[in-house]
Amino acid sequence: MKFPNRKLNEIEKVFFKLDLSSPFNVLINIQITGHIKREVLEEALSRLKRNRYLLNYFIREGENPEFIYTDKPILFDEIGYNNNQERIELIQKELNTRSVYDAHPLAKLTVLKNENNIDLIFKISHIISDGICAYNAAKELLYCVNDIENGVPSTSNEFKELYPDLKFFPQWNLDKLKQLDRVKELEYIENCVDINNRSTHIIEKDLSLEDSCKVFSFCKQNEISVNSFLMACLVKPMAERLRAKGYTSGILKTSSGINLRKYYNCDVDDQVLGFWSGFGYLFYNLGHDIDVVDFSKRYQVDLKSYLANNSSFFYLKTLVDNYLNKSVQEISSDYKKKIPYVLLTNIGKLNITLNCRDRFTIKKINLMTPMHRNWINDLGFGICASTTNDKLNLILNYMSPAWKQENAQKFADSILYLIMNPS
């Protein structure tokens, strides 16, 4: 198999600049009980590298960055910790650190260990991956572990030399785009924190099986998606926060991560690495109280319309047009037209079936990505959601130092209360 070096295309170059301005990566955190030997994990990483085309490259930085073939392994690290606070700090450190390495692939596995739990943190650069294929790569890593533990020899999948490119974008209907409710972003720079001083902090919340079933049943009974429900539970407290600060006619920007694979003009499956997702950007004037169910239904309809008009591709193309010829410094300082902004990424049910449960079992799987580039003050918040073993797992995100930890925790508690008491 040949691995030709190549320059980054327009989309990749913009994401590379975004990564230079502030770390831009995806973390899949698999928490297990049991034990996996280091040599087994190293061999599993080697097998994963052989099966993922873009994991055979590093990026040579410069004015015209290039993908360069490397035979060096995916980086691997083991770290011990004593308590959960240490564990959270270690996860946050990985979350806020770039995934671009000198001569090594754009991914890393960090194992956090104490006497009770093991976290397998698979981190990959957002330049070459979105949340879905990051999860599928982490999933394959565990299947490789499973095979190695059971003496199954290595097999190589056929490489797919495919990566996102503007040429694969569908055409958007400009007439339909004009019909969308779009709001000009307002000047909003109060309490602005420079991007070089921002970092994403997290709050973990795992719902019990009983509480998760209540949430899923509530959504089913009211004919709303879990994604729309979570957005409503994020929007309502933020709208209340805006009103409390006196912004009664303020605009709130919302976005949900969206899998765009089936909309591209090429055949993309979930195993192919690349940034094949986008965001559904919707704006709301929330100077009044909202009803969770009503807003969920409204959001669901709005998001469907947004997708139908190929608006995600329109905004991705706009991102490329706006940033391709800007310097990293210009991108980093592009905060003058920001408004309050809530973010949601929900990658749904994550199921991994293994037959070496005598060695280890999976407790939960979380998705994380740094979000602080999108927030300049304490009027932004986010949720990364996933479901493991029928339990809803939430990572609530906020930007430090604009949010103090105790205030962020109180705000997170208000979201969680609403999730469990929506009516």
Side-chain angles (χ1 to χ4, degrees):
M1 177 66 200
K2 293 183 178 180
F3 296 90
N5 298 339
R6 67 172 178 88
K7 289 182 171 60
L8 277 64
N9 64 27
E10 290 178 324
I11 297 176
E12 293 163 337
K13 192 171 183 180
V14 167
F15 291 160
F16 173 72
K17 287 184 176 182
L18 289 171
D19 182 69
L20 285 171
S21 74
S22 180
F24 197 42
N25 50 54
V26 186
L27 272 68
I28 303 296
N29 181 11
I30 304 174
Q31 193 170 96
I32 67 171
T33 55
H35 179 67
I36 306 175
K37 294 179 181 178
R38 182 185 180 100
E39 55 267 30
V40 171
L41 286 169
E42 289 176 336
E43 171 59 24
L45 285 170
S46 179
R47 293 187 182 190
L48 178 67
K49 184 176 186 288
R50 290 197 290 269
N51 289 338
R52 289 291 190 278
Y53 183 74
L54 284 174
L55 288 182
N56 289 276
Y57 291 92
F58 73 96
I59 292 180
R60 183 163 61 198
E61 304 193 30
E63 187 173 340
N64 293 299
E66 292 183 273
F67 283 109
I68 306 295
Y69 169 73
T70 180
D71 59 3
K72 290 193 174 184
I74 296 171
L75 290 171
F76 177 48
D77 196 11
E78 284 187 333
I79 305 173
Y81 68 91
N82 296 313
N83 53 58
N84 194 55
Q85 181 58 38
E86 273 189 44
R87 173 180 161 274
I88 293 293
E89 289 172 359
L90 288 166
I91 291 173
Q92 289 175 170
K93 181 180 178 181
E94 286 300 319
L95 188 62
N96 292 291
T97 305
R98 295 183 73 207
S99 304
V100 177
Y101 310 104
D102 184 21
H104 288 271
L106 282 75
K108 178 184 178 184
L109 179 67
T110 301
V111 180
L112 304 182
K113 303 171 69 173
N114 77 355
E115 58 184 16
N116 298 315
N117 293 298
I118 297 177
D119 287 88
L120 304 177
I121 301 176
F122 181 74
K123 180 170 73 166
I124 186 166
S125 172
H126 231 327
I127 302 167
I128 64 167
S129 180
D130 56 25
I132 292 169
C133 46
Y135 163 67
N136 279 301
K139 181 178 180 179
E140 183 179 345
L141 180 68
L142 283 184
Y143 283 152
C144 290
V145 167
N146 190 72
D147 287 346
I148 295 165
E149 294 279 17
N150 290 287
V152 178
S154 174
T155 57
S156 294
N157 296 328
E158 182 181 351
F159 278 118
K160 295 186 178 180
E161 300 176 56
L162 185 66
Y163 34 85
D165 196 295
L166 293 180
K167 66 185 179 183
F168 296 132
F169 280 21
Q171 293 297 314
W172 45 81
N173 187 317
L174 292 178
D175 290 333
K176 286 186 177 181
L177 282 171
K178 290 175 184 176
Q179 297 172 15
L180 290 178
D181 290 330
R182 287 203 296 275
V183 180
K184 183 180 179 181
E185 294 192 61
L186 308 175
E187 293 285 341
Y188 201 98
I189 55 174
E190 181 179 326
N191 301 325
C192 175
V193 177
D194 183 86
I195 197 167
N196 293 321
N197 297 320
R198 302 180 214 166
S199 63
T200 297
H201 284 212
I202 64 170
I203 297 170
E204 287 184 303
K205 179 61 180 179
D206 304 313
L207 272 63
S208 67
L209 182 60
E210 180 183 3
D211 286 343
S212 298
C213 288
K214 288 180 181 178
V215 170
F216 300 147
S217 295
F218 179 84
C219 292
K220 186 175 181 179
Q221 289 168 7
N222 288 279
E223 299 181 323
I224 56 178
S225 68
V226 173
N227 189 77
S228 297
F229 172 69
L230 290 175
M231 179 57 81
C233 292
L234 182 56
V235 165
K236 184 177 174 69
M238 185 56 74
E240 292 170 355
R241 184 173 178 81
L242 284 171
R243 289 196 300 275
K245 285 179 171 284
Y247 301 106
T248 55
S249 60
I251 302 298
L252 179 63
K253 182 179 180 180
T254 73
S255 66
S256 284
I258 299 172
N259 181 2
L260 299 176
R261 284 163 176 76
K262 66 181 180 181
Y263 301 99
Y264 280 90
N265 291 328
C266 59
D267 184 20
V268 189
D269 65 44
D270 291 349
Q271 304 299 318
V272 178
L273 283 182
F275 198 117
W276 301 101
S277 64
F279 282 95
Y281 296 111
L282 298 170
F283 298 83
Y284 294 96
N285 189 325
L286 298 171
H288 55 85
D289 195 16
I290 67 168
D291 177 84
V292 169
V293 173
D294 288 347
F295 185 87
S296 297
K297 291 181 177 180
R298 178 185 174 188
Y299 189 82
Q300 199 162 287
V301 170
D302 291 347
L303 201 55
K304 185 177 180 180
S305 173
Y306 187 94
L307 269 171
N309 294 330
N310 285 326
S311 301
S312 286
F313 289 99
F314 176 82
Y315 282 111
L316 278 171
K317 178 64 165 59
T318 300
L319 178 73
V320 173
D321 291 343
N322 288 342
Y323 284 171
L324 184 61
N325 296 314
K326 283 188 177 180
S327 68
V328 173
Q329 185 177 4
E330 287 173 320
I331 292 172
S332 298
S333 60
D334 184 22
Y335 58 79
K336 291 184 179 179
K337 291 191 175 182
K338 293 289 185 181
I339 56 178
Y341 184 15
V342 292
L343 280 146
L344 170 66
T345 299
N346 177 22
I347 56 174
K349 291 185 178 181
L350 308 180
N351 297 311
I352 299 177
T353 303
L354 303 169
N355 58 8
C356 56
R357 293 184 178 181
D358 57 324
R359 297 179 180 88
F360 68 91
T361 57
I362 296 171
K363 290 181 64 177
K364 65 173 181 175
I365 306 172
N366 285 124
L367 163 78
M368 283 171 265
T369 187
M371 296 181 175
H372 58 263
R373 73 168 63 254
N374 302 288
W375 302 318
I376 63 170
N377 53 29
D378 62 350
L379 294 177
F381 218 80
I383 297 176
C384 290
S386 58
T387 301
T388 317
N389 301 323
D390 296 320
K391 298 177 184 177
L392 187 60
N393 308 120
L394 304 175
I395 299 291
L396 298 107
N397 302 261
Y398 64 95
M399 188 265 280
S400 177
W403 282 93
K404 303 305 178 186
Q405 184 177 1
E406 59 271 22
N407 294 334
Q409 183 63 62
K410 288 178 182 178
F411 190 75
D413 289 343
S414 68
I415 295 171
L416 296 167
Y417 179 83
L418 197 57
I419 289 173
M420 295 312 307
N421 303 274
S423 50

